[in-house]
Amino acid sequence: QVQLVESGGGLVQAGGSLRLSCAASGRTFSTYTMGWFRQAPGKEREFVAAISRSGGNTHYADSMKGRFTISRDNAKNTVYLQMNSLNPEGTAVYYCAARSSIMILTIIREYDYWGHGTQVTVSL
């Protein structure tokens, strides 16, 4: 089992940047594929990005490509989401998730463990 704790959210102006972190407990972090999801007010949770166990493969939602970067440091049991050129549509609670499988998937139900989320608010 793994516990996930997100941090780094906050208020940012449109066009700005934020870096989210997700710290994982346990000694088996490198065996999990990691993902970031977000949920805006009144909307369903959606996929943002995912990264393979080694960090060698990544996948992004189309609307995030070129602006967001997911990375991980297995020595620190941490996964990151660098978000650039943020716009108000980026206002959401951002969640970190882990799945104990080698495949990168975008489907919420395929992820086994979830953090409690961190709020990101993008103002005009």
Side-chain angles (χ1 to χ4, degrees):
Q1 189 169 355
V2 62
Q3 293 183 328
L4 305 172
V5 178
E6 303 94 336
S7 62
L11 175 65
V12 63
Q13 287 189 328
S17 299
L18 277 178
R19 188 196 196 200
L20 306 182
S21 299
C22 173
S25 65
R27 295 176 291 178
T28 60
F29 176 71
S30 62
T31 66
Y32 291 96
T33 295
M34 300 299 296
W36 284 97
F37 293 77
R38 70 183 184 183
Q39 187 163 15
K43 295 187 177 181
E44 294 184 352
R45 193 170 299 189
E46 65 175 350
F47 170 78
V48 174
I51 190 166
S52 63
R53 296 186 293 186
S54 68
N57 292 308
T58 58
H59 181 69
Y60 298 90
D62 288 342
S63 61
M64 285 67 161
K65 287 180 181 177
R67 299 188 300 119
F68 290 11
T69 303
I70 188 171
S71 61
R72 67 189 296 164
D73 186 338
N74 286 343
K76 296 183 178 179
N77 283 11
T78 303
V79 62
Y80 306 96
L81 184 68
Q82 176 67 43
M83 304 185 294
N84 299 328
S85 301
L86 284 162
N87 54 51
E89 288 70 34
T91 295
V93 177
Y94 285 72
Y95 297 90
C96 171
R99 68 184 306 267
S100 52
S101 172
I102 194 172
M103 291 184 65
I104 293 179
L105 294 178
T106 65
I107 304 170
I108 293 172
R109 66 175 181 270
E110 295 292 340
Y111 284 78
D112 305 303
Y113 305 102
W114 292 83
H116 292 294
T118 184
Q119 176 70 48
V120 172
T121 302
V122 184
S123 65
L124 289 171

